[in-house]
Amino acid sequence: MTAERHWSDPLTPTEIVEVTALVRADERIGSEPRFWGIAVEEGLARSLAPGQGRPVRLVVMNPAAHAAWEVTAWTSGTDRQASLGSWSPVDAKRPGVSSDEARAIARAAREHPLLKEALAKRGITDTTHVWVDPESITGFEPEDLMDRRLSWGTVWYRESADDNGYARPVAGLVPILDLETLDIIRIEDHGVIPMASEGGNYRSGTWGPDRTVAPLEITQPEGPGFTVEGHKVTWQNWSFRIGFTHREGLVLHDIAYRDGDVDRPVLRRAAVNEMYVPYLDSDPTAYRKNFFDWGEYGAGPLTASLELGCDCLGEIHYFDAHVLDGLGEAQTITNGVCLHEEDSSILWKHVNTRTGEADVRRSRRLVISFFATVANYDYGFYWSLYQDGSIELEIKLTGILSVSGIDDGKMPPFGRMVSPNVQAPTHQHYFAVRMDTAIDGPKNRLVEVHAEVEEDEELNPWGNAVKMVSEVIASEKDAGRMADASRAVHWRVENTERTNRFGENTAYRLSAMHTTRLFARPGSVVARKAPFVSKHLWATAYDPAERFITGDYPNQAPLEAEGITAWQQADRPLDGAELVLWPIVGVHHYPKPEEWPIMPVHRIGLRFEPDGFFTRNPSLDLPPSSSGDHCHAPTPGAGGAVAEGHAFHGHDAGGHDHSAHGHDHHGHHGH
């Protein structure tokens, strides 16, 4: 009901429609306007009562006039009717590209005489089986076209309607596209290279009969352990709210853990804020490939409906997602977000070999997830809450490698062969995470911790003493940090006003398990476009205007001029601030043949866990694992030890995990 709507709830179709109707009534947008994104102005909305109208902003473009505006508005609520506010001009080149705009230029390019002529040189005369993917061109705009809203195209060919086009790149062709006029300005033709002779289908039965797999059922006879009220979720002492935005997709708000009778805040906001994918290959059809998939396109509209596959099993609660498409219509992504519980092996265990007693507690986690399909790649984002107060973000990379053609008899110098005449370039994936911290309240600070050998021989006579050294990150000029496993680096986010029983500031620990560095020449477009990847963690003082690590409009933006590296120059104090952390999760992807024609899931992520936040292990109140959990009773082992029997979940006596436990049941992709 509208009266129960919280400010952080996802925008509804009604809200989207009422605002766009007001925008459409303005004659300045012309007869064929295009839209990109609508989102709640969170900085203004945080103080609103439930049910009140919400402040929003959206972008509208008039391509015929080479004009664009950022429009502010209010949705209707208990206190107001929907209304428009300001119209602020935006450089017409810079709004992100919607799926509708991408489809329009792809259709136009496929029928363009310049492309048809180039394809005919390669023996392709039926363009109905040709795909053209418009790619972001930021940093590579031709000098004579700097004032145009541009894209460039990758070209693909299917031999039949059910062929995998991403397995057959049309090598050597690079059309330069005008997104406003839907025209090919020019085509670079770097020469004819033989097409892939082998198909790349991955559907059932393509490469032989399917293997036999025994059934694995996930059941909860008494129903799920979580409660959902609107978009508020409670589970195992945790509470939080689910949001969804055009730019970031899934957003979690107001994450708190109930400690006794007190709800203790942990994070005010958490989301994957940006994704950067640079390709590290000088091939003429690959060197321009470097994308801000969120800032130049948008995670929201790219979200896959989870009703299209077996992404979640068990007792599931789905949330629909609503977005504004490029034509100004509200679109619903059915089952866009999945909420469910999973068994997660052992939480804690000890066998007392002197008494023959064993204590085991199985771990359960609550998973909130969504998937985004970005042309060939598919990305799954899984936030997991654990019973011991820990939070994990796991990112699953799957889908189809972005490939290039290669001539007969050649081997790729900057990639791997995956099929005849097909090479997969080396590339990277960076995910900028935004975490607005609230450890026991709003006043937090960032502390970096690393290990050092104690050099004082009086304190370390045996040479084995190690001390953990803490450094408070006092201001933004020092708040670009690097992970370093060789020094056991991690970070504590401390409350500056509250201490635990040992006199330490209550805190959570951030561990960056998956990081890399950019292997590109300093000063290159790839490096200058995304300077945030030069560090593994950034920290800023909260500013409602600083919403996105790459700035509001990174598409065709000036390099290095906006975003977090520009914000850092303010050098605001961070000790006792409303703190925003920006961890950078990354992977260097050197492809391999086993990732073709579709890539098994590759997992990366981060962990945020209590570090002096609780008095002791907060999961001591969990009931013992028992036969009711489908576990066999303990049996005496050799020497009076107790061995855990083989359980329903497939564990051996050492607690090693041999089964999916339901946690990989979201691994069926290729939507």
Side-chain angles (χ1 to χ4, degrees):
M1 296 177 59
T2 300
E4 298 298 323
R5 183 183 63 200
H6 190 266
W7 74 263
S8 65
D9 288 351
L11 286 168
T12 66
T14 298
E15 290 177 297
I16 295 171
V17 167
E18 67 184 3
V19 170
T20 54
L22 294 174
V23 173
R24 287 182 186 279
D26 195 295
E27 63 181 15
R28 77 186 89 178
I29 69 173
S31 59
E32 295 183 329
R34 299 177 195 169
F35 293 78
W36 190 73
I38 185 170
V40 174
E41 284 271 31
E42 295 182 11
L44 294 175
R46 285 167 61 181
S47 61
L48 295 177
Q52 288 187 310
R54 296 190 282 181
V56 299
R57 70 165 77 183
L58 74 157
V59 175
V60 61
M61 294 167 272
N62 181 344
H66 188 59
W69 299 267
E70 181 181 275
V71 182
T72 62
W74 283 84
T75 67
S76 61
T78 56
D79 60 330
R80 65 175 67 237
Q81 296 297 313
S83 62
L84 296 183
S86 62
W87 289 64
S88 301
V90 174
D91 186 337
K93 301 178 298 186
R94 295 186 54 183
V97 179
S98 71
S99 297
D100 299 279
E101 193 171 37
R103 284 190 286 267
I105 188 62
R107 287 192 299 267
R110 193 167 54 235
E111 299 303 320
H112 198 283
L114 287 177
L115 186 61
K116 285 188 171 183
E117 179 183 353
L119 290 169
K121 294 178 182 178
R122 293 156 170 82
I124 300 172
T125 56
D126 182 3
T127 60
T128 60
H129 287 162
V130 171
W131 291 346
V132 179
D133 279 352
E135 316 281 15
S136 60
I137 201 169
T138 305
F140 290 105
E141 299 92 334
E143 289 188 9
D144 61 329
L145 302 174
M146 294 296 290
D147 62 336
R148 308 275 284 271
R149 180 170 166 81
L150 300 174
S151 184
W152 68 281
T154 50
V155 185
W156 315 88
Y157 179 66
R158 297 172 296 155
E159 291 191 343
S160 62
D162 62 350
D163 194 15
N164 172 17
Y166 288 124
R168 300 185 192 274
V170 180
L173 285 187
V174 182
I176 305 300
L177 311 172
D178 188 313
L179 292 175
E180 291 181 321
T181 63
L182 302 180
D183 188 24
I184 294 180
I185 302 171
R186 63 177 72 119
I187 287 185
E188 298 176 10
D189 193 333
H190 298 275
V192 177
I193 291 176
M195 294 288 296
S197 59
E198 183 179 282
N201 269 338
Y202 46 84
R203 308 300 296 274
S204 177
T206 301
W207 302 96
D210 293 344
R211 71 177 73 176
T212 299
V213 179
L216 174 65
E217 296 184 1
I218 311 299
T219 62
Q220 290 182 271
E222 298 179 9
F226 54 78
T227 301
V228 178
E229 299 177 26
H231 286 84
K232 183 178 180 180
V233 181
T234 55
W235 175 85
Q236 290 289 302
N237 295 331
W238 286 105
S239 62
F240 61 94
R241 304 192 70 94
I242 287 179
F244 192 90
T245 71
H246 182 98
R247 181 83 167 251
E248 299 165 300
L250 173 65
V251 181
L252 302 182
H253 295 274
D254 300 334
I255 303 173
Y257 192 95
R258 190 163 186 81
D259 185 11
D261 296 328
V262 179
D263 289 317
R264 299 175 65 185
V266 176
L267 291 171
R268 197 179 71 203
R269 189 185 196 277
V272 177
N273 190 256
E274 184 58 274
M275 175 164 59
Y276 182 52
V277 186
Y279 281 72
L280 308 178
D281 184 358
S282 56
D283 182 272
T285 60
Y287 75 85
R288 294 179 180 90
K289 286 185 180 180
N290 57 98
F291 314 115
F292 290 142
D293 286 312
W294 281 195
E296 292 171 331
Y297 301 98
L302 298 175
T303 295
S305 171
L306 298 180
E307 68 178 354
L308 298 178
C310 213
D311 294 77
C312 303
L313 295 179
E315 294 288 337
I316 305 163
H317 186 97
Y318 287 110
F319 296 86
D320 293 344
H322 311 291
V323 296
L324 174 66
D325 71 14
L327 303 177
E329 303 294 335
Q331 299 293 337
T332 295
I333 302 167
T334 305
N335 297 356
V337 174
C338 173
L339 173 74
H340 71 291
E341 293 174 280
E342 295 178 350
D343 180 272
S344 186
S345 188
I346 301 301
L347 178 59
W348 55 264
K349 172 177 178 172
H350 181 63
V351 177
N352 188 329
T353 58
R354 292 171 176 80
T355 65
E357 295 175 331
D359 277 282
V360 182
R361 301 296 186 273
R362 294 198 63 80
S363 177
R364 191 173 296 186
R365 63 185 175 188
L366 184 69
V367 183
I368 314 99
S369 63
F370 83 109
F371 247 91
T373 299
V374 187
N376 53 292
Y377 255 109
D378 297 77
Y379 300 92
F381 302 91
Y382 295 77
W383 289 96
S384 293
L385 306 180
Y386 290 83
Q387 292 161 309
D388 65 352
S390 298
I391 301 173
E392 284 185 352
L393 169 64
E394 184 178 53
I395 302 169
K396 299 184 179 183
L397 292 73
T398 182
I400 304 169
L401 296 169
S402 183
V403 295
S404 307
I406 189 168
D407 211 346
D408 291 334
K410 292 188 175 180
M411 292 295 287
F414 309 114
R416 296 287 296 278
M417 294 294 295
V418 293
S419 186
N421 297 109
V422 179
Q423 67 116 348
T426 301
H427 58 284
Q428 297 180 318
H429 302 262
Y430 292 94
F431 301 88
V433 183
R434 175 179 167 181
M435 301 169 66
D436 296 31
T437 69
I439 305 302
D440 267 336
K443 293 188 177 183
N444 288 181
R445 68 176 168 221
L446 178 65
V447 179
E448 182 170 287
V449 183
H450 71 273
E452 290 183 5
V453 173
E454 176 56 67
E455 299 295 343
D456 188 331
E457 293 190 5
E458 290 188 8
L459 297 176
N460 187 16
W462 311 112
N464 67 323
V466 64
K467 58 186 178 183
M468 300 305 292
V469 180
S470 297
E471 176 190 356
V472 175
I473 309 304
S475 68
E476 290 176 327
K477 70 178 176 62
D478 296 321
R481 313 303 298 180
M482 297 294 287
D484 186 350
S486 70
R487 298 190 304 130
V489 169
H490 65 268
W491 297 279
R492 282 169 52 91
V493 183
E494 298 180 347
N495 183 286
T496 57
E497 299 178 327
R498 183 167 177 176
T499 58
N500 59 26
R501 63 174 176 163
F502 305 111
E504 302 172 322
N505 293 85
T506 58
Y508 257 64
R509 177 185 301 191
L510 175 65
S511 300
M513 298 95 71
H514 298 96
T515 59
T516 186
R517 72 174 183 88
L518 183 64
F519 294 92
R521 184 183 302 136
S524 64
V525 170
V526 170
R528 294 175 61 213
K529 179 176 176 178
F532 72 85
V533 305
S534 64
K535 303 293 182 181
H536 297 145
L537 176 67
W538 301 86
T540 58
Y542 172 75
D543 182 334
E546 296 174 354
R547 303 181 300 160
F548 307 113
I549 197 169
T550 53
D552 284 349
Y553 301 106
N555 187 45
Q556 291 190 249
L559 301 182
E560 300 180 295
E562 301 173 6
I564 198 161
T565 51
W567 306 339
Q568 297 292 97
Q569 296 174 17
D571 196 24
R572 293 164 293 193
L574 296 179
D575 194 345
E578 284 192 65
L579 198 62
V580 182
L581 299 185
W582 308 83
I584 311 301
V585 179
V587 60
H588 184 82
H589 190 177
Y590 183 47
K592 54 187 181 180
E594 291 84 354
E595 294 173 329
W596 187 259
I598 192 164
M599 177 179 154
V601 163
H602 185 92
R603 296 169 174 84
I604 57 177
L606 59 78
R607 184 171 174 83
F608 199 52
E609 58 191 332
D611 183 353
F613 187 79
F614 297 108
T615 300
R616 56 182 61 83
N617 181 347
S619 63
L620 294 173
D621 58 348
L622 288 176
S625 301
S626 66
S627 58
D629 299 316
H630 305 283
C631 296
H632 293 307
T635 55
V642 175
E644 183 184 7
H646 290 284
F648 172 80
H649 296 287
H651 285 69
D652 62 21
H656 298 294
D657 192 349
H658 297 298
S659 76
H661 307 296
H663 73 268
D664 225 12
H665 46 241
H666 15 32
H668 305 285
H669 308 296
H671 297 162

